[in-house]
Amino acid sequence: MGETLKRILIVEDELKIARLLQLELEHEGYQAEVAHNGVDGLARAEAGGWDLILLDIMIPRLNGIEVLRRFRRKDQWTPVLLLTARDTVPDKVMGLDQGANDYITKPFEIEEVLARVRANLRLAGGRNAINEAEGEIFTVGALTMNPKTREVYRGEKEIHLTPREFELLSYLMRHPGQVLEREQIIQEVWGFDYIGDTNVVDVYIRYLRQKIDKHASVPLIHTVRGVGYTLREKSG
């Protein structure tokens, strides 16, 4: 029996772009379907069964960021790649903060889209395999993480994280005491070379500190000036 085709949902109101993406993805061996506005796109996305979603931000009836925000309430793990003409760091951070996995800026080369799709499907498959295989609990000081249940506690207090925050903390906890460079973190957590935008790592480290270290007497996340970050009990 052949391998089941990966299902990709395209939410794009520009008919020519939507058709181009659908044809190219189908040529690559994916099963691609299209929705042309945010309301229909959200309904199709929430129906489930997708391996990846390509979501334009500037779509009618419900914009892409709002579609993403509502979709992430029900599904935190399906990769979502945003399509947009915007290319500023604040816009990227806004999308990533709502749970986007990647950003593709218009106008794009179709080869770049296909490469991003492959990379994010590969990452999603690898994470699922790791989480299914692992039974261990990660611990650094009073901080514990269960990769299978996605539960994180500091002492008795449960820490609620977004998907991106969870992936970042998971990477830090898999390498306790190791100094991790920003570029290294980008590659492992975001899954591609996020050229020139390593300040996104700083933004998400700040989010984690607010949730993990803010009310704790002993901080766990430490900055190594000029290099990156490390997760350990002692600052020395």
Side-chain angles (χ1 to χ4, degrees):
M1 294 180 63
E3 184 179 352
T4 303
L5 296 182
K6 298 290 187 182
R7 298 184 68 229
I8 296 176
L9 175 64
I10 303 162
V11 187
E12 168 64 72
D13 65 314
E14 295 185 53
L15 300 183
K16 289 184 178 180
I17 293 178
R19 185 59 177 157
L20 170 66
L21 289 169
Q22 184 178 27
L23 289 173
E24 291 287 348
L25 288 167
E26 289 177 345
H27 181 71
E28 291 295 308
Y30 303 110
Q31 180 182 338
E33 299 181 23
V34 178
H36 293 296
N37 64 69
V39 172
D40 291 345
L42 178 61
R44 298 279 291 280
E46 289 184 336
W50 306 104
D51 294 289
L52 183 141
I53 297 172
L54 286 171
L55 175 62
D56 187 35
I57 287 184
M58 301 301 292
I59 47 178
R61 299 185 68 188
L62 200 64
N63 70 61
I65 294 294
E66 183 62 20
V67 170
L68 176 61
R69 188 181 70 82
R70 297 187 189 185
F71 176 64
R72 282 296 186 229
R73 292 176 184 171
K74 295 189 174 183
D75 183 325
Q76 296 188 346
W77 310 112
T78 299
V80 177
L81 281 61
L82 293 180
L83 301 171
T84 180
R86 304 172 182 173
D87 192 25
T88 63
V89 170
D91 287 324
K92 289 181 178 179
V93 171
M94 178 176 65
L96 294 170
D97 192 32
Q98 293 297 332
N101 297 78
D102 204 344
Y103 238 99
I104 301 172
T105 304
K106 294 179 179 179
F108 52 74
E109 297 290 339
I110 193 64
E111 291 81 6
E112 178 190 7
V113 176
L114 295 174
R116 297 284 181 88
V117 166
R118 288 192 297 269
N120 279 275
L121 286 172
R122 186 168 59 248
L123 279 169
R127 286 166 184 159
N128 289 339
I130 289 171
N131 290 331
E132 288 173 4
E134 275 179 346
E136 66 179 307
I137 304 296
F138 293 103
T139 302
V140 177
L143 186 67
T144 60
M145 169 185 284
N146 184 329
K148 292 190 72 173
T149 64
R150 308 297 207 274
E151 292 176 315
V152 177
Y153 284 86
R154 180 148 190 180
E156 298 297 318
K157 180 185 177 184
E158 185 172 7
I159 307 293
H160 298 283
L161 302 176
T162 66
R164 185 66 66 182
E165 291 166 353
F166 182 90
E167 295 292 345
L168 175 55
L169 182 61
S170 176
Y171 183 57
L172 293 173
M173 293 194 75
R174 292 171 196 273
H175 301 85
Q178 182 178 336
V179 177
L180 302 170
E181 298 179 358
R182 289 175 177 83
E183 292 80 6
Q184 195 177 354
I185 295 171
I186 282 286
Q187 183 64 39
E188 293 297 327
V189 177
W190 276 261
F192 65 98
D193 187 11
Y194 213 69
I195 300 172
D197 286 340
T198 53
N199 56 332
V200 171
V201 175
D202 301 329
V203 170
Y204 276 83
I205 288 289
R206 186 169 71 248
Y207 293 163
L208 282 182
R209 280 176 164 153
Q210 286 289 319
K211 294 183 177 183
I212 292 169
D213 284 342
K214 185 175 182 180
H215 301 295
S217 58
V218 179
L220 295 176
I221 301 173
H222 304 281
T223 302
V224 180
R225 192 174 299 278
V227 183
Y229 299 97
T230 184
L231 186 73
R232 60 179 179 234
E233 288 188 77
K234 297 181 180 179
S235 59

